[in-house]
Amino acid sequence: MTRVLMCPPDYFGVEYEINPWMHRDEPPVLARAGEQWRALRQVLVESAGATVLEITPHPGLPDFVFTANAGLAIGDTFVASRFRFAQRQKEEAYFHQWFAEHGYRVITLPGDLYFEGEGDAFPVGGNLFAGYHFRSDIRSHHAVADLFELRALSLHLRDPRFYHLDTCFCPLDERTLAYYPPAFDAYACQVIEAHFPARIVVSEEEALRFACNAVVIGTHVVLNGGCPRFEQDLREYGFQPHSVDVNEFLKAGGAAKCMTLLLR
Ligand code: ARG
């Protein structure tokens, strides 16, 4: 049974600009965002068989809905994020509290190591694939990997539109990856090719619709609508895509995966 943590978008908004998707003069429509979020939650439960846990939203934290950035939770251990931008650092205390109250051992990294949780880190087999440059600090990768006895494989992100690893990198299983190669530097592409023998290359058009920002639960893949080519590829590789329109959240630079944190 897969459990995921989500936060209702009651106070979601674009109140500052910390990635190229965010424009204060193009605010999301809150009512529509609420409907899209509830539809996503429903598909995760009813189509993908997940159990959804919720954390209480707070006014003044418009990005709190993106729980993937809370940290990394494996077993009973939660490594809390240290956000790069002050606007999101205010979320940290609430995530600490939730995980402590739910019986986790909460680990905080040294203050000078930025780490934005599952947004930039994917445990796959014995490896921790981790992104750096725009948000997480490369030095955080080893610190986090060591805690879980994983091997850190750092991937350099080079396109600001794909500022978190989960915007351009989607492991489907231990040997299959969907990704958008131009978001990575040449060495990162070599590392990826060496570790994933089966690779689905997502088109620029669909990558910009956050195709890679998909929630993978077993063979179910929950993703934003409007990515028919990727859905077709997923079916050919034996996965079942479920699309939900989460366009309001693209205005903040996030989609389906950003709104869930896997409790591994
Ligand atoms: N506005 C948020 C930020 O820039 C979006 C976070 C998206 N989260 C993710 N896991 N990619 O921090």
Side-chain angles (χ1 to χ4, degrees), residues 12-14 16-20 22 62-63 66-69 83 85 88 91 116-120 135 163-167 210 213 249 251-255 257-260:
F12 171 59
V14 175
Y16 45 79
E17 299 175 2
I18 58 171
N19 69 53
M22 302 175 87
D63 276 332
F66 298 116
T67 52
N69 296 124
F83 286 93
F85 291 102
R88 294 204 67 185
E91 299 174 28
E116 298 205 354
E118 270 205 348
D120 271 329
R135 297 298 183 87
Y163 57 94
H164 275 139
L165 184 61
D166 69 0
T167 62
F210 277 66
N213 197 249
F249 297 93
K251 295 174 181 170
K257 157 76 171 56
C258 303
M259 291 191 271
T260 65

Side-chain angles (χ1 to χ4, degrees), residues 18 109 122 130 139 142 145 163 168 233 243 257:
I18 58 171
L109 297 170
F122 287 84
R139 293 171 308 142
H142 282 280
Y163 57 94
C168 51
D233 288 338
S243 68
K257 157 76 171 56

Side-chain angles (χ1 to χ4, degrees), residues 16-54:
Y16 45 79
E17 299 175 2
I18 58 171
N19 69 53
W21 300 86
M22 302 175 87
H23 304 289
R24 262 171 301 183
D25 52 4
E26 288 165 30
V29 180
L30 202 55
R32 210 179 295 149
E35 285 165 22
Q36 293 180 351
W37 185 88
R38 285 187 292 278
L40 172 66
R41 189 189 192 291
Q42 189 173 358
V43 169
L44 288 166
V45 172
E46 291 176 12
S47 305
T51 299
V52 173
L53 283 78
E54 289 186 18

